Coordinates of all heavy atoms in Angstrom, one line a residue:
L240 N -24.0 -24.4 66.9 CA -23.3 -24.5 68.1 C -22.0 -23.7 68.1 O -21.5 -23.2 69.1 CB -23.1 -26.0 68.5 CG -24.4 -26.7 68.8 CD1 -24.1 -28.1 69.5 CD2 -25.3 -25.9 69.7
V241 N -21.3 -23.7 67.0 CA -20.1 -22.8 66.8 C -20.5 -21.4 67.2 O -19.8 -20.7 68.0 CB -19.6 -22.9 65.4 CG1 -18.6 -21.7 65.2 CG2 -18.9 -24.2 65.2
Y242 N -21.7 -21.0 66.8 CA -22.2 -19.6 67.1 C -22.6 -19.5 68.5 O -22.1 -18.5 69.2 CB -23.4 -19.4 66.2 CG -24.1 -18.1 66.5 CD1 -23.6 -16.9 66.0 CD2 -25.3 -18.0 67.1 CE1 -24.2 -15.7 66.3 CE2 -26.0 -16.9 67.4 CZ -25.4 -15.7 67.0 OH -26.1 -14.5 67.2
S243 N -23.4 -20.4 69.1 CA -23.8 -20.3 70.4 C -22.7 -20.4 71.5 O -22.8 -19.9 72.6 CB -25.0 -21.2 70.7 OG -24.5 -22.5 70.9
Q244 N -21.6 -21.1 71.1 CA -20.5 -21.3 72.0 C -19.4 -20.2 71.8 O -18.4 -20.2 72.4 CB -19.8 -22.6 71.8 CG -20.8 -23.8 72.0 CD -21.0 -24.0 73.5 OE1 -20.1 -24.2 74.3 NE2 -22.3 -24.1 73.9
N245 N -19.7 -19.2 70.9 CA -18.8 -18.1 70.7 C -17.4 -18.6 70.2 O -16.4 -18.0 70.5 CB -18.6 -17.2 71.9 CG -19.9 -16.6 72.4 OD1 -20.8 -16.4 71.7 ND2 -19.9 -16.4 73.7
I246 N -17.4 -19.6 69.3 CA -16.2 -20.1 68.8 C -15.8 -19.3 67.6 O -16.6 -19.0 66.7 CB -16.3 -21.6 68.4 CG1 -16.9 -22.5 69.5 CG2 -15.0 -22.1 67.8 CD1 -15.8 -22.9 70.5
N253 N -15.4 -29.4 73.2 CA -16.0 -30.0 74.4 C -17.3 -30.8 74.0 O -17.6 -31.8 74.6 CB -16.3 -28.9 75.4 CG -17.2 -27.7 74.9 OD1 -17.1 -27.4 73.7 ND2 -18.0 -27.1 75.7
Ligands
NAG407 C1 -21.3 -16.0 74.2 O1 -21.2 -14.6 74.2 C2 -22.4 -13.9 74.7 C3 -22.3 -12.4 74.5 O2 -21.0 -12.0 74.8 C4 -22.6 -14.4 76.2 O3 -23.8 -13.8 76.6 C5 -22.7 -15.9 76.2 O4 -22.9 -16.3 77.5 C6 -21.5 -16.5 75.6 N1 -21.8 -18.0 75.5 C7 -20.9 -18.9 75.9 C8 -21.3 -20.3 75.7 O5 -19.8 -18.6 76.3

Side-chain angles (χ1 to χ4, degrees):
L240 295 191
V241 164
Y242 174 77
S243 74
Q244 301 283 308
N245 299 333
I246 304 282
N253 56 328

